[in-house]
Amino acid sequence: MFCILYPNNNFSTHTHTQAHRFNFAPTCTVEEEANNKTILFDNTIYTNAGLADGSVVTAYAKIREKALDVPCGHLTTVLLDIFPQGHVTLFSLDVEGSEHLVLKQIDFKKVFIEVFMIESWNTYCQKNAECESRNAFRKIMRDAGYEKFSKIIHKSDLFIHPKSRYLQKVKRLTKLE
């Protein structure tokens, strides 16, 4: 099983039917979810929506007239509801510079995610430029013990857990390139 996390409620018709889609803000703590907190997001049909509070620069940073309150949901809790054994094969994460905020809400002791694909550069976080959000999510993944592969997927980093059944295969394939 795998899940895809994009910053948009309207994206469900454009993605894989087998993937789990979320209609909540996954950057919230357990306490924020319990208190029914909401997070303001850009309201657009496009996949590059983002936090509408100005904390993350997106394509909609200058046109904030359309925003939507999205309910909080603690990501570890939701993942365990969907994947009761706590095992996710692939987690694709592209949330327009908020990747580190999402990753901070995953309890890696409770949920085993074999492979992450995380967008590492876009218009606002250029490939060879210093990027605070990219540095933050790479640190989280490094601290969680994941091995990073940056040249496999265009504009994304691939992170593989050391206990993943895919790690040795990817290492062999990258040696052939």
Side-chain angles (χ1 to χ4, degrees):
M1 297 295 284
F2 63 98
C3 50
I4 300 174
L5 189 56
Y6 292 95
N8 187 318
N9 289 340
N10 300 316
F11 188 58
S12 61
T13 58
H14 303 294
T15 189
H16 305 286
T17 56
Q18 296 88 1
H20 293 279
R21 292 173 218 85
F22 305 125
N23 289 315
F24 67 92
T27 59
C28 300
T29 65
V30 172
E31 294 79 22
E32 289 170 328
E33 180 182 18
N35 291 323
N36 295 316
K37 181 179 178 179
T38 60
I39 305 288
L40 203 58
F41 276 83
D42 297 316
N43 186 11
T44 175
I45 62 169
Y46 304 105
T47 61
N48 61 346
L51 295 171
D53 65 0
S55 63
V56 177
V57 178
T58 70
Y60 301 95
K62 293 182 181 164
I63 51 170
R64 292 276 184 224
E65 68 261 3
K66 291 184 179 182
L68 175 70
D69 272 322
V70 178
C72 278
H74 185 252
L75 189 53
T76 296
T77 304
V78 173
L79 287 173
L80 289 171
D81 284 346
I82 296 170
F83 306 104
Q85 291 79 26
H87 182 260
V88 178
T89 305
L90 173 67
F91 193 115
S92 176
L93 181 58
D94 175 359
V95 289
E96 303 306 311
S98 297
E99 288 78 10
H100 63 292
L101 300 174
V102 171
L103 291 170
K104 284 201 275 190
Q105 297 308 319
I106 297 176
D107 184 339
F108 291 103
K109 292 180 180 111
K110 293 182 179 179
V111 180
F112 174 58
I113 302 172
E114 288 193 62
V115 179
F116 277 92
M117 181 177 72
I118 304 174
E119 183 184 50
S120 58
W121 62 279
N122 59 40
T123 304
Y124 304 100
C125 187
Q126 294 293 313
K127 183 178 181 178
N128 296 317
E130 184 65 24
C131 179
E132 186 177 325
S133 65
R134 177 176 49 231
N135 294 343
F137 81 70
R138 284 178 173 171
K139 180 181 181 341
I140 291 168
M141 298 307 291
R142 184 176 53 252
D143 291 349
Y146 283 81
E147 193 159 333
K148 177 174 68 88
F149 298 87
S150 293
K151 297 179 182 177
I152 295 175
I153 300 168
H154 183 64
K155 293 188 175 186
S156 293
D157 287 340
L158 193 66
F159 293 92
I160 303 178
H161 193 278
K163 293 182 180 175
S164 171
R165 58 190 157 178
Y166 301 107
L167 181 59
Q168 294 310 316
K169 190 179 288 188
V170 170
K171 282 183 171 183
R172 282 192 302 274
L173 289 173
T174 56
K175 282 183 182 179
L176 296 175
E177 294 177 349

